[in-house]
Amino acid sequence: MSTIAVVPGSFDPVTLGHLDVIVRAAGLFDELHVLVVHNPGKSALIPVEQRVDFIREAVDAAGVDEVSPLENVLVTSWSEGLLVDYCTRVGAKVLVKGIRSQVDVAYETPMAIMNRSLAGVETIFLLPDPAHALVSSSLVRQVASLGGDVDPYVPRAVADYLRASRDDQAGASSASKNETR
Ligand code: PNS
């Protein structure tokens, strides 16, 4: 029997910390599904399909340098209900999440208990590589929106996208100021 695990998340955007968890989890399971899921508690910056593409590109790039290419990783999205509904559909019994701090433990624990209660899906937590222990999507979004350099924390394509979004917003805001003058 092959073991399928799912790494779910908003990935808005995917960070090098997420990729570290994905690469390590891919080595632990026969099949790993990276699932971009809408988080009802968050409003998103990047469209879901774009987030999926960023992860696919990064996974493909990671496969080149890893000892074992990430051929067992599938990247997709889910918007048809509960996360555990996806797990049931594909026969996944395990969720994998990265936890960086006690704050993450407090955030993840109720979801892990709920997912197990709903469908018997277990959650396994991986501790971060120290190099990525402080990186989060929300911090990356904030730093990028204020003109900071996010190159060390996200794949190159994501950093370029965030820079372009900021430039677009800056352009739109200066155009609207000029119009009101
Ligand atoms: O990266 P995030 O935002 O912390 O990921 C949270 C996510 C998307 C995994 C979580 O919000 C989720 O599972 N959403 C799907 C809806 C669902 O199944 N809710 C019940 C889970 S307890």
Side-chain angles (χ1 to χ4, degrees):
M1 189 184 77
S2 75
T3 323
I4 304 173
V6 175
V7 178
S10 304
F11 301 109
D12 186 36
V14 66
T15 67
L16 298 187
H18 291 131
L19 288 167
D20 170 56
V21 168
I22 291 167
V23 169
R24 288 160 57 204
L28 299 174
F29 299 95
D30 298 313
E31 223 180 284
L32 189 75
H33 295 204
V34 181
L35 195 66
V36 178
V37 190
H38 172 64
N39 182 336
K42 295 179 182 171
S43 64
L45 173 71
I46 305 173
V48 166
E49 268 318 306
Q50 182 64 71
R51 287 183 249 164
V52 168
D53 286 348
F54 283 142
I55 301 169
R56 282 198 185 127
E57 281 169 30
V59 164
D60 286 349
V64 174
D65 293 326
E66 295 301 315
V67 176
S68 152
L70 299 178
E71 283 168 357
N72 60 338
V73 177
L74 171 93
V75 184
T76 188
S77 63
W78 178 249
S79 59
E80 290 169 42
L82 293 167
L83 171 59
V84 292
D85 293 339
Y86 178 86
C87 295
T88 304
R89 182 177 288 188
V90 300
K93 300 252 181 291
V94 180
L95 296 167
V96 181
K97 300 270 192 101
I99 45 165
R100 295 155 299 186
S101 65
Q102 289 300 322
V103 174
D104 282 353
V105 173
Y107 171 70
E108 295 291 350
T109 300
M111 290 196 281
I113 291 170
M114 180 58 81
N115 286 328
R116 183 162 175 268
S117 164
L118 286 169
V121 175
E122 298 283 2
T123 301
I124 289 176
F125 295 118
L126 293 184
L127 294 171
D129 182 302
H132 306 302
L134 299 173
V135 180
S136 70
S137 298
S138 57
L139 263 184
V140 163
R141 286 197 307 272
Q142 186 182 105
V143 169
S145 74
L146 296 171
D149 177 16
V150 293
D151 283 359
Y153 316 116
V154 293
R156 168 64 67 85
V158 172
D160 290 344
Y161 177 97
L162 294 173
R163 258 189 294 275
S165 309
R166 181 169 185 273
D167 291 347
D168 286 350
Q169 271 166 8
S173 132
S174 89
S176 86
K177 271 185 198 147
N178 287 338
E179 273 169 24
T180 53
R181 276 185 188 148

